[in-house]
């Protein structure tokens, strides 16, 4: 198992990041359709996140949560989206699959570009579910 590393976020961002990671842990137990409805509801009223805001949120949840720093990409992506929402913005939340060999992945994106992912990693996945920001 490989853990991601991130620079420590500012102290005021740490409690909301812990909260977002905890809520994400609960939400990831929902069936996919219900998770999508919950995230769609959460995105209401938020402006689009910039790449810097999404990366800052992603790095904060990776820093405060061992689960988000590890293999739990769904929890990491939901937590990053929720942390952005606490700041009044919303990135595009995505899940996707590849078939050869089969794999699934979840990530956040801005303007269709994955945020904080290895260059070609998230681009290899076919998006099957997404909650975009409302423009």
């Amino acid at each position: 198992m490989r853990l991601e590393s991130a620079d420590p976020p500012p102290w005021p961002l740490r409690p909301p990041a812990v909260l977002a990671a905890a809520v994400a842990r609960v939400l990831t137990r929902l069936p996919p359709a219900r998770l999508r409805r919950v995230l769609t509801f959460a995105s209401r009223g938020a402006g689009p996140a910039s790449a810097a805001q999404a990366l800052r949120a992603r790095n904060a949840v990776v820093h405060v949560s061992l689960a988000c720093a590890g293999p739990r990409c769904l929890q990491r992506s939901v937590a990053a989206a929720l942390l952005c929402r606490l700041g009044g913005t919303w990135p595009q939340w995505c899940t996707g699959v590849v078939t050869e060999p089969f794999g699934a992945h979840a990530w956040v994106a801005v303007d269709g570009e994955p945020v904080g992912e290895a260059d070609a990693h998230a681009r290899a996945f076919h998006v099957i579910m997404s909650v975009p920001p409302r423009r």
Side-chain angles (χ1 to χ4, degrees):
M1 177 175 77
R2 183 176 72 63
L3 295 178
E4 291 188 30
S5 62
D7 292 332
W11 281 103
L13 189 59
R14 291 179 190 191
V18 170
L19 175 64
V23 171
R25 182 177 172 96
V26 172
L27 291 179
T28 58
R29 295 180 181 156
L30 295 174
R34 184 167 292 166
L35 175 60
R36 183 180 190 175
R37 284 193 302 270
V38 168
L39 293 179
T40 299
F41 180 79
S43 71
R44 292 182 181 169
S50 69
Q53 290 167 322
L55 183 60
R56 181 178 183 212
R58 186 183 188 283
N59 286 342
V61 298
V62 164
H63 182 78
V64 301
S65 169
L66 188 60
C68 291
R72 294 189 183 155
C73 60
L74 182 59
Q75 184 177 345
R76 178 175 51 246
S77 65
V78 170
L82 292 175
L83 186 55
C84 281
R85 182 60 185 101
L86 288 173
T89 63
W90 188 262
Q92 179 182 7
W93 174 81
C94 305
T95 60
V97 297
V98 291
T99 56
E100 291 295 328
F102 179 80
H105 188 51
W107 66 96
V108 293
V110 173
D111 296 328
E113 291 296 315
V115 174
E117 300 291 327
D119 290 337
H121 183 69
R123 288 184 191 88
F125 289 85
H126 174 72
V127 176
I128 58 170
M129 189 167 33
S130 173
V131 177
R134 302 190 182 240
R135 295 184 190 233

